[in-house]
Structures are given as structure tokens and as C-alpha cells.
Amino acid sequence: MTPAKTSASRTKKPAAKKPSPSRTDDSTLDLVMRLMAVPGRSGEESQVAALIQDELRRAGADMSQVRTDDTPKRSPLGGEIGNLTFQLPGTAKAPRRLLVAHMDAVPLCVGSRPVRKGKLVQSADKSTGLAADNRAGCAAILSAALAILKHKLPHPPLTFLWCVQEEVGLFGARHGDLSLLGKPKLAFNWDGGPAEKLTIGATGAFRMKINVEGLASHAGGAPEKGISAVTIAALAIADLQNAGWLGLIEKDGIRGTSNVGVVTGGAATNVVTDYLELRAECRAHDAKFRKRILDAFRAAFEKAAASVTNHEGVAGKIKFESRQDYESFALRSDEPCVVEAERAVRAVGLNPVRAISNGGLDANWLSARGIPTVTLGCGQQNVHTTSERLDIPAFEYACRIALKLTAPDADA
Ligand SMILES: [Zn+2]
């Protein structure tokens, strides 16, 4: 084939330069820098919402279309504010599009002081995270809304949704008031790294709380009268580890994960510990397999509790509570939101990459509640750590992709 090409080479036009992401002006970078500096851990997002509302007001938004819902009434965490929504009627008849990003950041990000370093942004305070997760997503969808308002761009019916409490259990997406969204047909969520990465499915997860009850006694004077909750927990965890139910789990070709993350209890070395509380989680794409992991945990703790007895033959007890954090989902490849997202990624000169996540996303609950949602990256790196960074070019691509998805004819 080459020769044919060669012939063309004489008149070969110089290779099309990869379009640089900097079609966005500096205001988007300024916007995300200001958003990342605002404290807003889960349940305390009101300052973030206030900044977003302020920007919309100054851009001329109809503030009667900017509302917060009553998620705190239904969330186990409560919270100072609900999800923030902004609805725009379309300038053309078309299926409504929903753009989503969560406002909360993990506690490590409170006190973030964003500074630019070349193509990256990081926190000047080395003891904090940056809050790129997920102020970058908040800024990407806000920048699209502001561009439409400022430049009066033609657009389909649009809803912008800034969720609360994503980091603690996806509570905004799970308990949010869907009636404020205006029945969207296509939904796009921003959260994650590379702008061209499309997350079209994610795992499902259970959260467990295990209370181990033993019997206190003097550890020196009468240990045989006690029932050690610590021993029970240790036996159960060892049993799970030996049976391959901890960490990365692979059985019959199916994969999952589990972790015992928090253990609290015990007050003194000279007392046989009578109570421990453990918090654990398990994840798997396969719902049946996820249930199997859960059952293995319950069985291991029940067996261990029954095996630890005192001198009177009294055994320990456990109280096992579990709650589904989110259901797994997998979007079809011809799902309209996936097709549109890929079109927008290509339109800005990138190649879409499909991915499945092993973590929970607001998209899990939105999809489970009937709004198929694809998730796109927005430049986050090393999230939930003190070395969190924002990749500026990836963020700027995310802003352009968001604009392409809200104003398809705009030169994004
Ligand atoms: Zn996030």
C-alpha cells in the first residue's frame, strides 16, 4: 500500500497536528483551582455549592432552575446540603442530557492549597490532598454550563447535577431526588483520570459491621473465666485468609475482593477483651459471587465465636450486619450515552478507551435507578493521597468533551 501513499507524498500536506487541549481559556483552570481550595468533605459541601451557584448567577442563569434537593433527609450521614441541580430547557427538541460530578472530597483534602507546576496542579501543603477528586469533574461540567450561558450556544435540554456524599457511600446518587432531573435519557458522569477513558461498568460492593461479644475477666488472675473477642476475631480472619476469602479472591474463575479495614475495641492488657467491632467490605461484579464472600465472612465469624469458650463452656457471640453499598452494572456498547461519549472524545482528537471499574461511582446508583450513566476522566492522579495531582491537559480535554456533549455544534 505504501507506494500509493508515496505518490501522494509529493503533495503531502503536513501531518495534522494533534489538536492541543488548550481550546479552553484560562478561566476553566482558574475555576478548578478555586474549587479545589474550598473545604468540602462528605456531608459538608455547602461552600462548594455556594461557589457553583455564584458562578451560575454571574453567568446569567435563571436561578429558579438552580435547586438543592433533600438528600440529607434520607442519607444515613444526614449532611448540611443536598445535591445541587441546574436545569436548562433545550433550544432544540432532543433527548435530555444529564451531566454529573460529585462535590465532596475525602477529609485529607480539607486545607488543599492548589498551585500550578508546569502541566500539573498540586497542593502547596504537603500534608493535604488536592481535591482534584472531584472538583475537576465539578469544574468540567460547570465550565460547559457557563459557556452555554455566556455564548448562548444552541443545546438540547440539559440537567447539571452536583452530587453530595459520594466518598462515603454514593449517598447523593443513591438517595437524590430524581424528580429534579427532568427525566434525562443520556447521562455522563465525570470522575477519574484520563479524559478519553470511558468507564462503562463497575463492580458492586457490600459493607459489613461485625460485633464480636466475649466475656471480660482478669487476664492474670482468671483468664479462663473470660472469652476473648480478640481471639475470636483473629481465628475468623485467619480462617478467611487460609480459605482464600481475603484480599484478591479467585474461585471457579470468578474474581472479587474483600478487606477488614477497621478494628476497634480493647482497653487494657490486663483485661480479657469482651468486645470488638470490625468493619469490612467485599466487592465483585458477579452479584452471586459477592453474596458468597459475604456468607463466607459470616460463617467464619460464627464458627470462631462458637469455638472460643470459657471454663464454663460459654461461647462468644457475634452480631453480623451488612448493607449493599452499590450494585454492579455494565452498559451495553450501543448504549446511547456510550455512543455519544465516544463521539465527543473523538471530536476533540482523542481515542476513547473503554474500562470497567473495581470501585464504586455515582454511575452505579444512577444506572441502578434507571439512568444509564457513562463515566469519563477529568485529569485526576493519585486520588485520596497527599501526592494527588491534577493533569491540566487531561482536565482541559474533559472540559472540551463536556462542552461537546452539551452543545454538540459548538467548536469545543
Ligand atoms: Zn471521585
Side-chain angles (χ1 to χ4, degrees), residues 102 104-105 132-135 166-167 189-192 360-362 380 383-384:
H102 70 87
D104 58 319
D133 179 11
N134 190 22
R135 301 296 157 70
E166 188 268 359
E167 298 290 0
N189 175 40
W190 274 266
D191 200 359
L361 300 155
D362 282 332
Q380 302 166 359
V383 298
H384 300 189

Side-chain angles (χ1 to χ4, degrees), residues 34-381:
R34 286 187 287 124
L35 275 164
M36 291 189 291
V38 176
R41 53 188 294 174
S42 309
E44 300 171 12
E45 299 93 343
S46 55
Q47 288 184 60
V48 182
L51 190 157
I52 294 170
Q53 286 164 311
D54 209 38
E55 290 291 327
L56 290 171
R57 185 178 298 109
R58 279 190 295 133
D62 169 359
M63 293 311 284
S64 72
Q65 292 301 322
V66 179
R67 286 174 277 186
T68 53
D69 74 9
D70 56 354
T71 290
K73 280 200 194 125
R74 291 178 294 278
S75 163
L77 184 74
E80 62 185 29
I81 194 171
N83 298 333
L84 178 64
T85 63
F86 172 42
Q87 270 204 43
L88 266 179
T91 59
K93 237 179 153 333
R96 179 172 288 275
R97 298 181 172 201
L98 173 67
L99 290 87
V100 186
H102 70 87
M103 291 188 280
D104 58 319
V106 292
L108 183 68
C109 297
V110 174
S112 166
R113 288 198 289 120
V115 287
R116 181 173 184 168
K117 279 243 160 70
K119 289 193 173 185
L120 295 173
V121 180
Q122 59 192 57
S123 175
D125 181 337
K126 296 273 172 288
S127 69
T128 74
L130 177 64
D133 179 11
N134 190 22
R135 301 296 157 70
C138 291
I141 69 171
L142 179 57
S143 71
L146 298 178
I148 284 177
L149 290 167
K150 284 179 188 160
H151 308 295
K152 305 207 173 348
L153 301 171
H155 57 87
L158 297 170
T159 303
F160 298 85
L161 170 64
W162 291 274
C163 283
V164 295
Q165 304 181 23
E166 188 268 359
E167 298 290 0
V168 288
L170 315 175
F171 293 147
R174 180 176 189 162
H175 300 298
D177 178 356
L178 297 186
S179 74
L180 292 186
L181 306 183
K183 296 195 173 55
K185 293 289 176 288
L186 301 94
F188 311 93
N189 175 40
W190 274 266
D191 200 359
E196 67 271 23
K197 184 177 164 188
L198 270 65
T199 301
I200 60 170
T203 191
F206 278 113
R207 194 175 285 233
M208 297 169 249
K209 191 157 83 74
I210 307 159
N211 299 343
V212 180
E213 290 164 27
L215 196 60
S217 71
H218 192 286
E224 72 288 357
K225 292 184 180 166
I227 301 168
S228 168
V230 173
T231 306
I232 292 171
L235 285 171
I237 293 169
D239 190 6
L240 288 166
Q241 174 68 20
N242 296 336
W245 289 112
L246 266 185
L248 178 59
I249 304 165
E250 286 183 281
K251 296 199 183 270
D252 320 321
I254 312 177
R255 276 181 158 216
T257 63
S258 76
N259 183 46
V260 177
V262 182
V263 179
T264 44
T269 59
N270 61 356
V271 179
V272 172
T273 307
D274 64 343
Y275 181 80
L276 269 189
E277 181 186 293
L278 299 94
R279 286 194 276 127
E281 64 150 57
C282 65
R283 305 178 187 203
H285 289 269
D286 182 302
K288 280 208 192 80
F289 191 65
R290 203 182 319 135
K291 186 72 177 49
R292 271 184 68 191
I293 305 171
L294 198 69
D295 294 344
F297 266 69
R298 182 197 299 271
F301 276 87
E302 280 170 353
K303 187 177 124 200
S307 73
V308 178
T309 59
N310 70 355
H311 68 310
E312 290 170 342
V314 179
K317 284 198 291 294
I318 64 148
K319 208 170 104 216
F320 190 94
E321 288 170 31
S322 68
R323 140 171 86 79
Q324 172 151 281
D325 247 354
Y326 42 87
E327 183 49 80
S328 55
F329 76 103
L331 299 175
R332 295 190 332 268
S333 50
D334 63 353
E335 183 67 48
C337 62
V338 174
V339 174
E340 276 306 305
E342 293 195 334
R343 190 199 312 271
V345 168
R346 287 198 192 92
V348 302
L350 298 174
N351 290 318
V353 178
R354 293 182 184 179
I356 300 283
S357 166
N358 279 326
L361 300 155
D362 282 332
N364 283 72
W365 275 106
L366 291 170
S367 299
R369 299 179 76 192
I371 307 173
T373 305
V374 62
T375 299
L376 297 117
C378 47
Q380 302 166 359
Q381 294 180 352

